[in-house]
Amino acid sequence: MSNSFGKIFKISTFGESHGAAVGVVVEGVPAGLPIDVAFIQAELDRRRPGQSAIVTQRKEADVVQILSGVFEGKATGTPIALMVWNEDAKSKDYSHIAQSYRPSHADFTYDAKYGLRDYRGGGRSSARETLARVAAGAIAKLFLTHHHIQVQAYTSQVGSLQLHTPYTALDLSQTEQNDVRCPDPALAAQMIDLIKAVRKQGDSIGGVVSAVIRGVPAGLGEPVFDKLHAELGKAMLSINAVKGFEYGSGFAGVSMLGSEHNDLFYQDEQGSIRTQTNHSGGIQGGISNGEDIYFRVAFKPVATLMRDQDSVDAQGNPVVVSGKGRHDPCVVPRAVPIVEAMVALVIADFWLRNQLTRLL
Amino acid sequence: MSNSFGKIFKISTFGESHGAAVGVVVEGVPAGLPIDVAFIQAELDRRRPGQSAIVTQRKEADVVQILSGVFEGKATGTPIALMVWNEDAKSKDYSHIAQSYRPSHADFTYDAKYGLRDYRGGGRSSARETLARVAAGAIAKLFLTHHHIQVQAYTSQVGSLQLHTPYTALDLSQTEQNDVRCPDPALAAQMIDLIKAVRKQGDSIGGVVSAVIRGVPAGLGEPVFDKLHAELGKAMLSINAVKGFEYGSGFAGVSMLGSEHNDLFYQDEQGSIRTQTNHSGGIQGGISNGEDIYFRVAFKPVATLMRDQDSVDAQGNPVVVSGKGRHDPCVVPRAVPIVEAMVALVIADFWLRNQLTRLL
Amino acid sequence: MSNSFGKIFKISTFGESHGAAVGVVVEGVPAGLPIDVAFIQAELDRRRPGQSAIVTQRKEADVVQILSGVFEGKATGTPIALMVWNEDAKSKDYSHIAQSYRPSHADFTYDAKYGLRDYRGGGRSSARETLARVAAGAIAKLFLTHHHIQVQAYTSQVGSLQLHTPYTALDLSQTEQNDVRCPDPALAAQMIDLIKAVRKQGDSIGGVVSAVIRGVPAGLGEPVFDKLHAELGKAMLSINAVKGFEYGSGFAGVSMLGSEHNDLFYQDEQGSIRTQTNHSGGIQGGISNGEDIYFRVAFKPVATLMRDQDSVDAQGNPVVVSGKGRHDPCVVPRAVPIVEAMVALVIADFWLRNQLTRLL
Amino acid sequence: MSNSFGKIFKISTFGESHGAAVGVVVEGVPAGLPIDVAFIQAELDRRRPGQSAIVTQRKEADVVQILSGVFEGKATGTPIALMVWNEDAKSKDYSHIAQSYRPSHADFTYDAKYGLRDYRGGGRSSARETLARVAAGAIAKLFLTHHHIQVQAYTSQVGSLQLHTPYTALDLSQTEQNDVRCPDPALAAQMIDLIKAVRKQGDSIGGVVSAVIRGVPAGLGEPVFDKLHAELGKAMLSINAVKGFEYGSGFAGVSMLGSEHNDLFYQDEQGSIRTQTNHSGGIQGGISNGEDIYFRVAFKPVATLMRDQDSVDAQGNPVVVSGKGRHDPCVVPRAVPIVEAMVALVIADFWLRNQLTRLL
């Protein structure tokens, strides 16, 4: 029951790193939505291995195929199944870890849980699963665009290199102009250098992805357990390597006084009720208030290193795990479209849920 | 659909601040579990208003009543309904906000969502709803205790006063020895002074609650969307006033190299596979690895101030909102048992879910 | 997870026959719906014991109390909790069955499942649980009435006394004019006589409840698993003592040729697309087509007899179970409002679900 | 949300009659279960078009492909995706119905619901979707066989030709020995003749499938809404063309007295508690009691006729719908494996759910 996400706009993913295919079934897409396959593919290309010098050099075309739910270019209201074949399944690369537990990977915990595991490339625990999220998220984005909602994520930190400029002072159209997806070109160059240096050492480094959602109408999100930020937080924390989530004022808000933190209401010139500040991050009581929603997501350094590491096998015997294959030295650049996809899925779901709130 | 939490060990809460009652229906409690009503009440007393000098001075006995699901002291396997009457429902206190939007409260967003709201004391958005969580969480704790799992939360920051000692070096049995629930007595005294000073100014202040879970067996949590930390994060973010969540190395882990961050496996003297460090926070690939699980939760300053604040009414006209009533100047001391309750619910649910993973 | 019904308009019931209370939490009621408490009570009164000479003579006022979710007479969009105290909890009546398995009751199966049971009056397996359904169903009816949808059930068979007149030729306003709730007064009198005769023998008898739903717009119901009639069927089969369900042509349709059974389309004078016949029972492909929906529900004879019956105890030893207490000799008259309640819940849920089907 | 079935052992199907593929994602299969692909294919072959002279003569190989969740022949605990390509997608056959509503098909209701439809071969409403159920059901059968539970369905009626022998007096190993899947060879021959005669007239005929489940331990099923027979009933009613469901004594039980209908308990020679009769159909209070579970499912005559029928188009204009293509004159023979598949899914799900009932 853990392979689904969303309640109305709902996805169910399947597939292992080195199985036949990775895919997703998307339910709840309103009938009539135009499905732009080229856009879905373009989103997948943003996530694709080998897209730049600072990501893994694996070669996977990741061409999406629609199996159902679309007729004459439109969603029919039935489940949309999307699939990508696994082409680069070099299983031999992984035989050396069949009996070893790679440090800070899911090898040990999968064995502990299931009593067996598909050890090829991490199996289901591989970040390759996020491909399915990006494909489904692209459909959610098509839906949100129809409702004038815009989701933008960007790299705001790599290692200790942090972008301190608030999103409101950034030109986010610059995000896709460099390989690390940081909208500040100068900082982006430093980040790229850092990632290259780390890779040269066979090491890896963490980072932060920030995101902003504009155009969300007031009223999305549910009281109590399914607060909008709680579901966003779960969505982010479900992405591989994520260690933390904060929205609005976040952890820094802890040190503020209520009189500093409260966002005072006013009526703008169009007659809308707005807030003067936005420490709330666009969400109050778990429900969107019409202001921008923004948050930060912490990613740990990738666990796979191009170095020897001490570990144990399934019997507890000491082994040495050697780094092999082609891996990302920093997950953040490719995480940007994944963050956006998960955001789009959350917002699309809440948008639909919100239609049922009042007596029609 | 937003009033339920959990999949097997599942709760559904109901009730407004000033309605007749607040309650919860708990499903999935295994038949035969002894239900210690005195323990449930003791947990509610830890959350109760008026318990100390630094929390709200409202008088509510919050006596729990079991309506169903328990027979001869044991759970029967049918839903356990728990209820607390609302005794201190002074609705007159709230008439002044019927037409005003209190800054950074849920007044505006509830109106935007539902077109009407129960304005008395915040209605459903009131933290009084967490009473239901604590009652249900107490039952989850009884279940976890049966399986030798221990949940402990404590105050680790109030405003800028931060406890830097790691949990492993703290004596958590001291947590309940002071009003602010910080296990460091000296820092606790400073925190209490700070809260009192803030209150004297009619202001409020934020804080951080830290938590540790010991005794969780390896294997709890699900791959992909329902990762153990993702569900813990959602649980925490669903608590009123929470702005952030991080586990293990958290946001600080971003700046680490993979070679520093990876937790190397070894076999201990009992033959168990363990990790030398625990940056993973006891969770790898979304699944517990048997090490301690620990995390931090950021709470913003309480929105209700004992001051006048500028705001607007539902028509957008300027109004002044005056602080009245009795409120918490800092939510953190009473949040400690709420955090523990939500943790217990998450772990109990995953414990049960994990029973179905392997072929029996 | 078995105590909830519905996906959007959703209920969760709790309570045992002889526990403190029986109740229900209703979620998904659109904010703004006027909640007529007198109507809810009137529906409960139709289900109430002691209402006539042919039902159980237990004395229970069954006064409903609203605990949450209603403010100034309207639904607020938050969960509506409804509760009825158990007043007639004469536990002593049931001590004789604590160790015995009553034939065709749930005593044995509850023990087999849970290892213990609340034996007082059947505990959770008692039809007293349906009280919660009727209360929630009354709210669903208020919603449906708002949308001009009408649900009517009636007794169409008791023992071998069967009403052969199709519903279209009946005056359903007569249903509530007699104790057995059969709209044919002459047959109703025979049914009442039969039930009295059966009771005099300490025996019980089965029956059929028929139902018709008018005013359902085309489009309700979902393809594949949640077909409208599949959910109606589950709803009916979940009512105590139900053994069968058929809709439209039902089992009789088996013997028909396709050329007889097919309902031909035509356009009526108002320009609506209609069918000339209605063997489909208002549902095609699992989705309502705008015609009347009608179906039949079979109820077995009540298991509790006022006679001695051979049985065994939990250890398998032979025992004699003696009939005691006050019981319904035929469940059908009181089942009519229960059937209506479950229908209303299904239709309300699908009405809301259907709002999300097309691009808005 | 209507494309999934089950809570723990859970399937989600996708695919249209003439889209790229039909498939299913199966979750909750315990890790370690051997997955016999040949058995899955054999079950699909029982449902396959063209298998005999009395079913549709369409040519579809329906070769199943496993996309994920199986490693070295065993389930890994992750989702098992199964897919069959649509090979016989002759879309031209369906252009004539793009604008017409076939009588008693889902054409009109899909349009009413979604505003558009994939008219090729019925799209999602085609019985081709049941292919996914049979593939998933085969995995459920593998699980049940591991637990010594046996599911057998058979044709018990075609038109007015009814098999009156109770299942206990039948040799069900004969079921697969004839094309109509009736275990009585003489009656089977008559049924086959009837179906051929009906087909010669371009007409269709209904039927009944009966089923028996042996080896179900006492305790499966949940009180209240998810009663075992309620979920079985929903499962059956979700199959295309089903009009009714009855279990145990069914509709006939209505006319019985309680003293006739009650199943008296006794202890058998092995010390098990059994019932002398089985009007309960193996289920009491919604929970299995260890006796055989048996039920009957009514199928209407297939709506597609090889004749001209009057109808309307989407604008309400009169049209004539002509029968074309290759269709089943009676759905029952191919429905037998579909009924078994849905039964297997229900029982596997409840088997797993029941593991969580008691304190371990």
Side-chain angles (χ1 to χ4, degrees), chain C residues 1-5 7-8 11 13 101-106 108-115 124 129 133 157 159-160 198 203-208 218-227 229-231 233-234 237-240 242-251 253-259 261-267 273 279-281 284-285 287-289 296-303 305 307 309-317 342 353-354 357-358, chain D residues 1-5 7-8 11 13 101-106 108-115 124 129 133 157 159-160 198 201 203-208 218-227 229-231 233-234 237-240 242-251 253-259 261-267 273 279-281 284-285 287-289 296-303 305 307 309-317 342 353-354 357-358:
Chain C
M1 60 184 99
S2 69
N3 301 287
S4 298
F5 189 82
K7 292 201 173 172
I8 304 291
I11 68 169
T13 73
Y101 292 143
R102 291 171 296 166
S104 290
H105 273 87
F108 168 68
T109 54
Y110 267 62
D111 256 12
K113 185 173 191 70
Y114 296 113
R124 183 74 176 147
E129 179 270 340
R133 305 182 186 211
Q157 188 170 345
S160 302
V198 164
D203 216 326
S204 66
I205 188 81
V208 172
L220 268 57
E222 307 273 332
V224 192
F225 299 111
D226 293 359
K227 290 183 165 78
H229 58 268
E231 209 63 58
K234 177 177 170 178
L237 289 157
S238 79
I239 300 173
N240 291 26
V242 171
K243 302 293 287 187
F245 169 85
E246 60 179 358
Y247 82 103
S249 61
F251 277 90
V254 162
S255 309
M256 295 171 75
L257 292 167
S259 55
H261 193 277
N262 277 359
D263 298 314
L264 301 187
F265 288 109
Y266 73 102
Q267 188 173 36
I273 294 177
H279 298 114
S280 298
Q284 293 177 328
I287 301 170
S288 63
N289 66 358
R296 299 172 74 242
V297 187
F299 289 82
K300 69 167 188 173
V302 176
L305 307 182
R307 295 181 173 190
Q309 296 179 87
D310 290 330
S311 192
V312 299
D313 65 15
Q315 286 70 45
N317 302 314
M342 291 307 295
R353 290 168 72 172
N354 195 45
T357 305
R358 299 184 189 203
Chain D
M1 60 184 100
S2 68
N3 300 287
S4 298
F5 188 81
K7 294 202 173 171
I8 304 292
I11 67 168
T13 74
Y101 292 142
R102 291 170 296 166
S104 290
H105 273 87
F108 169 68
T109 53
Y110 267 62
D111 257 11
K113 186 175 190 69
Y114 296 113
R124 183 75 174 146
E129 178 271 339
R133 306 182 186 210
Q157 187 170 346
S160 301
V198 163
Q201 299 163 21
D203 216 326
S204 67
I205 188 81
V208 172
L220 268 56
E222 306 273 333
V224 192
F225 299 111
D226 293 0
K227 290 183 164 79
H229 58 269
E231 208 63 58
K234 177 178 170 178
L237 289 157
S238 79
I239 300 173
N240 290 27
V242 171
K243 303 293 288 187
F245 170 85
E246 60 179 359
Y247 81 104
S249 61
F251 277 90
V254 162
S255 308
M256 294 171 75
L257 292 168
S259 56
H261 193 277
N262 277 359
D263 297 316
L264 301 187
F265 287 109
Y266 73 102
Q267 190 173 34
I273 293 177
H279 298 113
S280 298
Q284 294 177 328
I287 300 169
S288 62
N289 66 358
R296 297 173 77 241
V297 187
F299 289 81
K300 69 167 187 175
V302 176
L305 308 183
R307 295 182 173 190
Q309 296 179 87
D310 291 329
S311 192
V312 298
D313 65 14
Q315 286 70 44
N317 302 313
M342 291 306 297
R353 290 168 72 172
N354 195 45
T357 305
R358 301 185 188 202

Side-chain angles (χ1 to χ4, degrees), chain C residues 45-357:
Chain C
D45 291 348
R46 291 176 70 207
R47 197 212 75 93
R48 193 163 48 85
Q51 63 181 274
S52 79
I54 57 169
V55 305
T56 172
Q57 296 304 304
R58 280 196 306 276
K59 293 267 165 52
E60 284 166 306
D62 288 349
V63 178
V64 69
Q65 186 168 7
I66 296 185
L67 300 180
S68 67
V70 178
F71 181 58
E72 298 180 344
K74 290 182 180 171
T76 61
T78 62
I80 302 178
L82 302 164
M83 191 183 69
V84 169
W85 295 105
N86 290 325
E87 295 180 351
D88 192 39
K90 296 188 181 175
S91 294
K92 290 175 194 167
D93 282 353
Y94 296 94
S95 57
H96 61 293
I97 56 158
Q99 297 302 322
S100 299
Y101 292 143
R102 291 171 296 166
S104 290
H105 273 87
D107 300 339
F108 168 68
T109 54
Y110 267 62
D111 256 12
K113 185 173 191 70
Y114 296 113
L116 58 86
R117 74 180 201 277
D118 181 348
Y119 53 78
R120 300 168 302 167
R124 183 74 176 147
S125 74
S126 163
R128 187 157 176 76
E129 179 270 340
T130 59
L131 182 157
R133 305 182 186 211
V134 171
I139 295 178
K141 281 188 172 185
L142 291 170
F143 178 73
L144 294 185
T145 299
H146 181 82
H147 291 291
H148 312 295
I149 298 171
Q150 187 186 14
V151 179
Q152 287 173 293
Y154 58 94
T155 296
S156 59
Q157 188 170 345
V158 171
S160 302
L161 296 170
Q162 187 173 352
L163 178 60
H164 292 284
T165 319
Y167 77 89
T168 46
L170 292 170
D171 176 4
L172 296 185
S173 71
Q174 296 299 307
T175 303
E176 296 292 316
Q177 301 306 312
N178 58 67
D179 289 348
V180 77
R181 294 199 165 93
C182 174
D184 179 316
L187 188 60
Q190 294 179 52
M191 288 171 169
I192 290 168
D193 287 347
L194 174 59
I195 293 172
K196 287 181 177 173
V198 164
R199 180 168 59 186
K200 193 167 287 180
Q201 299 163 22
D203 216 326
S204 66
I205 188 81
V208 172
V209 173
S210 295
V212 55
I213 323 171
R214 299 185 218 242
V216 177
L220 268 57
E222 307 273 332
V224 192
F225 299 111
D226 293 359
K227 290 183 165 78
L228 181 49
H229 58 268
E231 209 63 58
L232 282 172
K234 177 177 170 178
M236 295 306 119
L237 289 157
S238 79
I239 300 173
N240 291 26
V242 171
K243 302 293 287 187
F245 169 85
E246 60 179 358
Y247 82 103
S249 61
F251 277 90
V254 162
S255 309
M256 295 171 75
L257 292 167
S259 55
E260 298 169 314
H261 193 277
N262 277 359
D263 298 314
L264 301 187
F265 288 109
Y266 73 102
Q267 188 173 36
D268 71 8
E269 295 177 357
Q270 286 76 41
S272 298
I273 294 177
R274 304 286 308 276
T275 62
Q276 296 178 17
T277 49
N278 189 15
H279 298 114
S280 298
I283 304 172
Q284 293 177 328
I287 301 170
S288 63
N289 66 358
E291 305 295 323
D292 292 346
I293 296 168
Y294 63 97
F295 58 84
R296 299 172 74 242
V297 187
F299 289 82
K300 69 167 188 173
V302 176
T304 306
L305 307 182
M306 295 301 101
R307 295 181 173 190
D308 286 357
Q309 296 179 87
D310 290 330
S311 192
V312 299
D313 65 15
Q315 286 70 45
N317 302 314
V319 295
V320 172
V321 173
S322 303
K324 287 191 182 175
R326 296 147 294 173
H327 295 279
D328 290 275
C330 179
V331 77
V332 170
R334 290 175 63 208
V336 167
I338 300 168
V339 165
E340 287 182 3
M342 291 307 295
V343 169
L345 289 164
V346 169
I347 303 295
D349 191 37
F350 277 114
W351 196 97
L352 288 169
R353 290 168 72 172
N354 195 45
Q355 302 311 303
L356 304 176
T357 305

Side-chain angles (χ1 to χ4, degrees), chain A residues 216-222 287-290 350 354 357, chain B residues 109 112-113:
Chain A
V216 177
L220 270 57
E222 306 273 333
I287 300 169
S288 63
N289 67 358
F350 277 114
N354 195 44
T357 306
Chain B
T109 53
K113 186 174 191 69

